Amino acid sequence: MRRALRLAVLGRHASPNPMVGCVLVGPDGQIVGAGYHPEAGQPHAEVFALREAGDKARGATAYVTLEPCAHHGRTPPCAEALLAAGVTRVVAAMTDPDKRVAGLGLERLRAGGVEVSVGILEAEARVLNAAYVKHRVTRLPWFVLKTAMTLDGKIATATGDAQWITSAISRKAVHRQLRDRCDAILTGVGTVLADDPSLTTRLTHRVGRNPWRIVVDSRLRTPLTANVVRLSEEDGRTIFATTSAADPEKRDALEALGCQVLDCDATDDGRVDLTDFAYQLGTRGDMICVLVESGGQLAAGLLKAGLIDRWINYIAPKVVGGSDAPGPVDSLGISLMSQARPVTFQKVRRCGPDIVIDARFG
């Protein structure tokens, strides 16, 4: 199962499907086949493993990181493929939270005479597919907040200069480990106006996957010359989350340039209601993991709404100082330390000269 989990990680572009790995072990204890699910629309992990095993799959045990599917989607049911191949035992790390599966795959295998075990390394499997699990259970995306700050907690100087806080090594890691693996990058109009980001994936050794670009802009103040607008003319993957207060002519102009405009409920102060926004993203079905690269205001709003699931914080060995230099999160309205939001540190590691803290909420 550990080998299957390592294989599953290779399916970093599988979203909105889960990352799944499968290892087939013959009656003599030898591995006869292995595979993972590379991306939506491609065969599932079990199919790749069965193809490699061929006739050796008969009488084998399948170790799979997620319950084999039993429904017809883009590909045929994996439970049926395992039965047809003569697999006699299936060990699954966890059941599939998708209501179209949710135990039906295991039930079909048992009905076909296959011995089934569930729960081996389940905790590891759930962490691997945390975004998928959350989306299937709540219909909300998994939001990952990424910040880069100095040792004293500043994301820019008092003048707004922020290039560069962390090392080139860390910046490359963000593109390789975060941007290339998420479905969308979310930022606010303040960041667009200040930095004019492209929000693309730039890798040195291969072509990266450019996620959707999403800008929270309640009044559509983003200039038509901004990079996020200009790039939408090339690949049509920019969404503006706005409210009814936005200028209709600006809305039409953005759509004419290839952008999508998402109408959201407004808060009492006229901002985009982030909870409504999150639910609208979740119902699309193609965005289960959203990377947040924003200023302190949007980060605070998402935290207040309880939408941030994971926080990856890059800390550089630099000190800026000064009360006017901004931090990664604006006020959360907390007056007592007992009200502070608790997090769990999952990993603390070095990335070049920087330190990376990977934390989870909830």
Side-chain angles (χ1 to χ4, degrees), residues 40 52 64 92 97 99 123 151 170 224 234 283 299 312 331:
E52 183 177 316
V64 60
K99 63 181 181 181
L151 182 60
S170 290
L224 297 179
E234 300 173 6
T283 57
I312 301 177
S331 175

Side-chain angles (χ1 to χ4, degrees), residues 327-348:
V329 180
D330 285 359
S331 175
L332 296 176
I334 292 175
S335 57
L336 299 174
M337 190 57 68
S338 59
Q339 299 170 334
R341 293 285 307 276
V343 299
T344 300
F345 286 173
Q346 297 289 319
K347 293 180 181 179
V348 179

Side-chain angles (χ1 to χ4, degrees), residues 7-32:
L7 281 171
V9 174
L10 299 176
R12 59 181 64 90
H13 293 157
S15 181
N17 290 351
M19 292 183 285
V20 181
C22 178
V23 174
L24 293 175
V25 179
D28 61 354
Q30 299 298 309
I31 292 176
V32 296

Side-chain angles (χ1 to χ4, degrees), residues 5 91 99 116 190 222 244 348:
L5 285 166
V91 180
K99 63 181 181 181
V116 175
T222 299
S244 59
V348 179

Side-chain angles (χ1 to χ4, degrees), residues 67-83:
E67 172 186 2
C69 63
H71 67 288
H72 284 270
R74 297 182 184 181
T75 58
C78 289
E80 297 295 341
L82 291 167
L83 287 171

Side-chain angles (χ1 to χ4, degrees), residues 192-254:
V192 172
L193 295 175
D195 301 333
D196 193 21
S198 296
L199 303 182
T200 56
T201 300
R202 298 179 293 279
L203 303 179
T204 57
H205 59 295
R206 60 179 172 85
V207 176
R209 184 181 72 159
N210 283 329
W212 283 88
R213 297 175 291 272
I214 306 177
V215 181
V216 175
D217 187 352
S218 59
R219 295 182 179 273
L220 293 183
R221 294 186 291 140
T222 299
L224 297 179
T225 55
N227 280 325
V228 291
V229 177
R230 179 180 57 81
L231 288 168
S232 70
E233 292 184 271
E234 300 173 6
D235 60 20
R237 292 176 63 87
T238 300
I239 296 175
F240 286 90
T242 191
T243 68
S244 59
D247 182 356
E249 292 186 1
K250 187 66 169 293
R251 179 194 308 265
D252 293 341
L254 288 169

